[in-house]
């Protein structure tokens, strides 16, 4: 049943915030949810927090943001429960149903939109989007294909190249290739030159990523990445500044909107790149400059290419697009993130704040976009 798009919503829209999940980015998702729950206008929206335990179980979660904070000593985690939440269509509405053993199922009412704040596999990769599409439920963010392409760093690069974007040298490594002929993989990587960055193909937030300066460290880095994903992408190191741009879907048929580009400066020390701790744990480990210190024409070019990348994968809602800006002035695209970190200190909302769109207003705009777009094929 496709929802009638012309039917106006009455009362406060009910927003189910979905977070946690089965991936290694479970804790990041919890922190992201805390940020959104703390900033969403509760006079305008009725918020229903739904956590997904690492087992995959959906549970009613606490709305207390302090329960989902991240510190260097503890990672937040959604705990399993004897009561399971499911999303079902009942009487033409998308209802949340709570079930538990030896009890009558409890209906919690309809849901107008789902905000899936899930990072990594089983959430950001098109799987949860497919579930929501099957139930004709509106949701924030990219659809099935865009989410899947944006999650897989290999196929992402293939799509970018087909759209005419400049992509750095890389090799993709499957589980079969590594387990049956590791030496052939080493030779392919050796042709890239060192240093290289070894990455799980379908993980984010710097999970499992290693910088490798010589062949001696390659095998260990590959095995570390394989703990997160058996498919890998190994990229040649690029000399250049890391520049990022936030993209927001336009309203109606309008073109995507882009923020001013930003640049992260990582504090000196042992850290060699913008890793998990710098992103989420350590205060003062990194600082954002927005707009980035670049010529006006380079800023305009970043924004133009970010919109091209957004459209190339068919993204909706939001995305963050990352580039390398070389000393020669070339812009090489690194990746697109269709559900970027969304805590108040994350790059995406910070870039929009620096461009004139505050965190709470950004959340409101994303929900508006989700509520007004069609369900089904579009």
């Amino acid at each position: 049943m496709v929802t009638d798009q012309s039917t106006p919503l009455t009362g406060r829209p009910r927003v189910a915030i979905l977070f946690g999940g089965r991936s290694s980015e479970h804790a990041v998702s919890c922190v992201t949810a805390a940020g959104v729950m703390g900033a969403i206008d509760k006079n305008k929206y009725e918020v229903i927090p739904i956590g997904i335990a690492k087992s995959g179980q959906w549970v009613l979660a606490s709305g207390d943001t302090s329960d989902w904070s991240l510190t260097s000593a503890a990672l937040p985690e959604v705990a399993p429960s004897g009561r399971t939440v499911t999303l079902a269509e009942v009487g033409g509405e998308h209802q949340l149903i709570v079930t538990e053993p030896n009890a009558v199922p409890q209906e919690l009412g309809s849901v107008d939109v789902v905000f899936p704040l899930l990072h990594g596999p089983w959430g950001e990769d098109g799987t949860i989007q497919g579930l929501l599409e099957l139930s004709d439920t509106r949701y924030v963010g990219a659809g099935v294909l865009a989410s899947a392409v944006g999650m897989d760093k290999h196929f992402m690069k293939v799509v970018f190249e087909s759209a005419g974007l400049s992509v750095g040298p890389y090799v993709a490594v499957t589980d079969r290739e590594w387990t049956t002929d590791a030496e052939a993989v080493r030779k392919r990587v050796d042709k890239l030159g060192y240093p290289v960055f070894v990455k799980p193909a379908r993980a984010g937030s710097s999970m499992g990523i290693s910088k490798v300066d010589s062949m001696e460290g390659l095998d260990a880095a590959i095995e570390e990445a394989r703990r997160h994903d058996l498919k890998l992408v190994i990229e040649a190191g690029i000399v250049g500044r890391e520049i990022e741009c936030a993209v927001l879907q336009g309203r109606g048929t309008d073109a995507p909107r882009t923020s001013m580009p930003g640049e992260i400066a990582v504090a000196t020390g042992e850290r060699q790149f913008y890793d998990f701790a710098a992103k989420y744990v350590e205060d003062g480990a990194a600082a954002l400059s927005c707009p980035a210190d670049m010529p006006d024409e380079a800023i305009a070019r970043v924004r133009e290419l970010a919109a091209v990348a957004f459209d190339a994968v068919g993204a909706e809602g939001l995305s963050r697009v990352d580039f390398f800006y070389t000393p020669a002035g070339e812009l090489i695209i690194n990746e697109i993130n269709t559900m970027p970190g969304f805590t108040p200190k994350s790059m995406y909302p910070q870039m929009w704040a620096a461009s004139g769109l505050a965190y709470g207003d950004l959340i409101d705009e994303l929900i508006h976009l989700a509520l007004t777009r069609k369900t089904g094929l579009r």
Side-chain angles (χ1 to χ4, degrees), residues 50-287:
I50 300 176
I52 301 180
K54 290 182 177 180
S55 64
Q57 182 192 21
W58 292 29
V59 301
L60 283 179
S62 165
D64 186 345
T65 57
S66 65
D67 291 338
W68 311 113
S69 62
L70 179 66
T71 68
S72 58
L75 298 177
E77 182 176 333
V78 177
S81 169
R83 307 177 72 211
T84 297
V85 176
T86 58
L87 179 65
E89 187 173 308
V90 180
E93 292 186 331
H94 313 117
Q95 299 271 354
L96 288 174
I97 310 294
V98 179
T99 60
E100 55 185 315
N102 304 316
V104 176
Q106 175 189 359
E107 293 185 7
L108 296 181
S110 62
V111 173
D112 295 302
V113 64
V114 173
F115 204 142
L117 297 168
L118 299 164
H119 300 300
W122 308 290
E124 191 182 348
D125 58 351
T127 50
I128 198 71
Q129 290 77 15
L131 172 65
L132 297 172
E133 292 284 356
L134 285 171
S135 64
D136 283 321
T137 302
R138 293 181 175 91
Y139 57 93
V140 171
V144 176
L145 178 62
S147 297
V149 171
M151 191 79 256
D152 190 309
K153 294 178 175 64
H154 172 209
F155 290 112
M156 177 198 306
K157 293 176 187 293
V158 172
V159 171
F160 287 158
E161 288 177 306
S162 72
L165 294 164
S166 179
V167 173
Y170 73 96
V171 297
V173 181
T174 65
D175 177 49
R176 178 171 57 85
E177 289 169 334
W178 179 246
T179 55
T180 61
D181 196 347
E183 185 58 29
V185 171
R186 296 185 191 103
K187 290 179 179 178
R188 289 168 59 204
V189 174
D190 198 48
K191 291 179 181 179
L192 295 175
Y194 288 90
V196 296
F197 287 86
V198 180
K199 302 179 178 182
R202 296 163 291 194
S205 296
S206 302
M207 295 287 189
I209 297 178
S210 301
K211 180 182 180 184
V212 179
D213 293 313
S214 67
M215 178 70 78
E216 286 70 28
L218 181 62
D219 283 22
I222 286 177
E223 292 302 334
E224 170 59 23
R226 281 167 54 84
R227 293 197 309 109
H228 299 270
D229 187 359
L230 294 178
K231 181 180 180 181
L232 310 179
V233 166
I234 302 176
E235 301 171 347
I238 295 174
V239 177
R241 296 159 57 191
E242 296 185 38
I243 305 296
E244 307 186 359
C245 187
V247 186
L248 182 64
Q249 179 185 347
R251 291 194 175 196
T253 57
D254 291 349
R257 294 164 277 183
T258 57
S259 74
M260 295 299 288
E263 181 176 16
I264 280 288
V266 179
T268 57
E270 295 183 0
R271 185 174 291 104
Q272 295 184 309
F273 61 97
Y274 190 37
D275 63 7
F276 180 87
K279 288 179 180 180
Y280 300 107
V281 180
E282 299 176 12
D283 291 332

